[in-house]
């Protein structure tokens, strides 16, 4: 049956219960005849006033008896939990402030690399290595930049310059060079190593661990081993912390769903009890009324059963 029409029918039945005299309307004679054919006893207009007081009392009494169900629903609503506040993670190891300087010069991969360019690039790299051994990192960067511009397809040049930026405590610049090296050669151990160390310097422990593990698979050395000893404990703590709070958030959400299910169930039970008591009260006052139990059975079937299934 259409929900709107059903709702109108319910309102009409309630109106008939509250004002039986409405059935004296000639336009409703067909409905009055139908009720009487079922054996219903239609009260006269004179009886209406006498019944109104007792009817009001019965309804109020039913509401009071349903108070317990209402309290249960309110209690369910008050059980709402506070938001989960995540604790801080105790991490070890020092980090550096991120370098926010303009990006360094990068090579143009579309440039044709001639033999002369290759020779000049190797010469510039040799000067850079001498500068590194003397601790002249700025000079080394200048020479490596020149080498990269001459030979922009060399992953080694980018990886070497990235390692110098690490010595200068410029992790973001190192990451840019490491990314360039890995674009040219996805198996660049120096690229993964430099990026892993730079990420560790920035406190990006999980990403640092992934890069350093990849570097160790490609070309293991003691420096990678030492950095992994610093990085892995923090990466494990972060992972455990995330798993813990993911679990707590899921458990909280599950409890919220269960509370809502119980609330709807209690509400449906309350509606069922109310409809049942009203029908029983109406039947006790009108021995010849409509077939007993119809209203509360209908309410239970269409409201209660759905909520119990949820």
């Amino acid at each position: 049956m259409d929900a709107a029409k059903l709702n109108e029918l319910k309102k009409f039945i309630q109106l008939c219960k509250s004002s039986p005299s409405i059935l004296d309307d000639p336009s409703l004679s067909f409905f009055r005849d139908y009720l009487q054919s079922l054996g219903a006893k239609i009260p006269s207009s004179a009886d209406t006033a006498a019944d109104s007081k007792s009817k009001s009392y019965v309804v109020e009494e039913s509401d009071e008896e349903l108070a317990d169900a209402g309290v249960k629903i309110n209690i369910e609503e008050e059980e709402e939990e506070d938001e989960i506040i995540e604790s801080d993670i105790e991490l070890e190891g020092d980090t550096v402030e991120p370098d926010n300087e303009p990006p360094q010069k990068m090579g143009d991969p579309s440039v044709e690399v001639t033999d002369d360019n290759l020779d000049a690039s190797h010469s510039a790299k040799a000067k850079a290595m001498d500068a590194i051994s003397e601790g002249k990192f700025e000079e080394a960067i200048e020479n490596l930049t020149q080498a990269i511009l001459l030979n922009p397809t060399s992953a080694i040049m980018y990886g070497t310059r990235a390692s110098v930026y690490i010595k200068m405590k410029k992790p973001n610049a190192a990451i840019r060079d490491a990314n360039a090296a890995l674009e040219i050669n996805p198996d660049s151990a120096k690229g993964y190593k430099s990026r892993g160390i730079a990420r560790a310097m920035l406190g990006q422990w999980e990403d640092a661990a992934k890069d350093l593990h990849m570097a160790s698979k490609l070309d293991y050395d003691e420096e990678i081993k030492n950095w992994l000893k610093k990085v892995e404990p923090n990466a494990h703590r972060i992972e455990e912390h995330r798993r813990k709070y993911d679990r707590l958030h899921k458990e909280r959400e599950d409890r919220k769903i269960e509370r809502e299910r119980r609330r709807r169930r209690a509400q449906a039970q309350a509606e069922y009890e109310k409809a049942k008591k009203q029908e029983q009260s109406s039947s006790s006052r009108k021995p010849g009324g409509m077939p007993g139990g119809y209203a509360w059975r209908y309410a239970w079937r269409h409201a209660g059963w759905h909520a119990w299934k949820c």
Side-chain angles (χ1 to χ4, degrees), residues 215-262:
S216 68
K217 291 179 182 179
L218 295 169
D219 187 14
Y220 179 83
D221 62 30
E222 286 297 314
E223 187 177 16
I224 295 175
K225 176 183 176 181
N226 292 333
W227 272 102
L228 280 172
K229 286 181 179 179
K230 300 176 184 178
V231 169
E232 283 189 315
N234 287 340
H236 290 155
R237 290 189 185 101
I238 293 171
E239 183 179 4
E240 291 173 0
H241 178 87
R242 183 171 56 252
R243 287 179 178 176
K244 172 185 174 181
Y245 283 96
D246 284 348
R247 186 184 71 254
L248 291 176
H249 282 293
K250 184 180 184 304
E251 291 174 353
R252 182 178 184 274
E253 184 62 24
D254 289 345
R255 288 193 297 271
K256 181 179 179 181
I257 293 173
E258 177 61 18
R259 283 197 304 273
E260 177 61 17
R261 188 190 70 81
R262 291 201 304 266

Side-chain angles (χ1 to χ4, degrees), residues 1-291:
M1 179 180 291
D2 182 74
K5 292 181 179 180
L6 183 60
N7 189 45
E8 291 177 0
L9 178 59
K10 289 181 180 179
K11 291 180 179 179
F12 175 69
I13 296 299
Q14 286 298 117
L15 180 62
C16 290
K17 286 183 178 181
S18 61
S19 302
S21 60
I22 194 174
L23 295 175
D24 293 335
D25 190 321
S27 64
L28 295 176
S29 60
F30 73 96
F31 186 54
R32 182 185 182 95
D33 293 341
Y34 169 70
L35 294 178
Q36 289 176 333
S37 70
L38 296 176
K41 180 181 178 181
I42 309 299
S44 63
S45 300
D47 296 333
T48 303
D51 282 348
S52 60
K53 182 177 180 181
S54 61
K55 182 195 294 188
S56 175
Y57 170 76
V58 170
V59 172
E60 291 174 0
E61 183 181 35
S62 298
D63 290 341
E64 290 174 0
E65 290 174 352
L66 289 172
D68 289 341
V71 170
K72 290 179 182 178
I73 295 173
N74 290 337
I75 291 174
E76 293 291 347
E77 292 175 349
E78 291 172 1
E79 288 180 0
E80 189 68 29
E81 301 176 35
D82 294 333
E83 289 293 329
I84 295 174
I85 301 176
E86 297 189 14
S87 60
D88 294 331
I89 309 174
E90 294 184 5
L91 302 174
E92 300 176 354
D94 297 328
T95 58
V96 302
E97 289 295 323
D99 48 308
N100 298 314
E101 299 174 5
Q104 63 270 34
K105 290 182 179 180
M106 311 294 276
D108 182 357
S110 65
V111 171
E112 181 181 357
V113 181
T114 64
D115 291 340
D116 290 341
N117 286 350
L118 283 176
D119 291 341
S121 176
H122 289 314
S123 176
K125 180 184 177 184
K127 293 179 181 178
M129 300 307 292
D130 290 340
I132 292 172
S133 64
E134 296 175 7
K136 299 177 181 179
F137 300 134
E138 291 288 354
E139 182 180 333
I141 291 294
E142 291 179 6
N143 284 295
L144 285 169
T145 300
Q146 186 63 29
I148 288 171
L149 294 175
L150 290 166
N151 182 13
T153 61
S154 173
I156 294 176
M157 295 296 184
Y158 281 110
T160 303
R161 191 171 69 171
S163 66
V164 178
Y165 278 127
I166 288 172
K167 294 179 184 296
M168 298 173 70
K169 298 188 184 303
K170 295 184 177 182
N172 282 328
I175 290 173
R176 286 191 290 270
D177 273 352
N179 287 338
L182 290 168
E183 285 183 14
I184 297 170
N185 178 15
D187 294 326
S188 171
K190 187 180 287 290
Y192 281 112
K193 176 181 176 179
S194 297
R195 192 171 69 178
I197 294 173
R199 285 174 165 174
M201 293 171 69
L202 292 171
Q204 300 171 5
W205 305 110
E206 291 180 290
D207 290 335
K210 292 177 183 177
D211 282 341
L212 291 169
H213 277 296
M214 182 61 71
S216 68
K217 291 179 182 179
L218 295 169
D219 187 14
Y220 179 83
D221 62 30
E222 286 297 314
E223 187 177 16
I224 295 175
K225 176 183 176 181
N226 292 333
W227 272 102
L228 280 172
K229 286 181 179 179
K230 300 176 184 178
V231 169
E232 283 189 315
N234 287 340
H236 290 155
R237 290 189 185 101
I238 293 171
E239 183 179 4
E240 291 173 0
H241 178 87
R242 183 171 56 252
R243 287 179 178 176
K244 172 185 174 181
Y245 283 96
D246 284 348
R247 186 184 71 254
L248 291 176
H249 282 293
K250 184 180 184 304
E251 291 174 353
R252 182 178 184 274
E253 184 62 24
D254 289 345
R255 288 193 297 271
K256 181 179 179 181
I257 293 173
E258 177 61 18
R259 283 197 304 273
E260 177 61 17
R261 188 190 70 81
R262 291 201 304 266
R263 186 194 68 78
R264 294 179 62 182
R265 183 174 177 177
Q267 186 177 31
Q269 179 69 19
E271 291 174 359
Y272 158 70
E273 293 291 343
K274 182 176 181 179
K276 181 178 178 181
K277 289 179 181 295
Q278 287 179 338
E279 182 64 26
Q280 289 174 341
S281 175
S282 176
S283 297
S284 66
R285 294 197 314 277
K286 304 175 184 179
M290 292 182 68

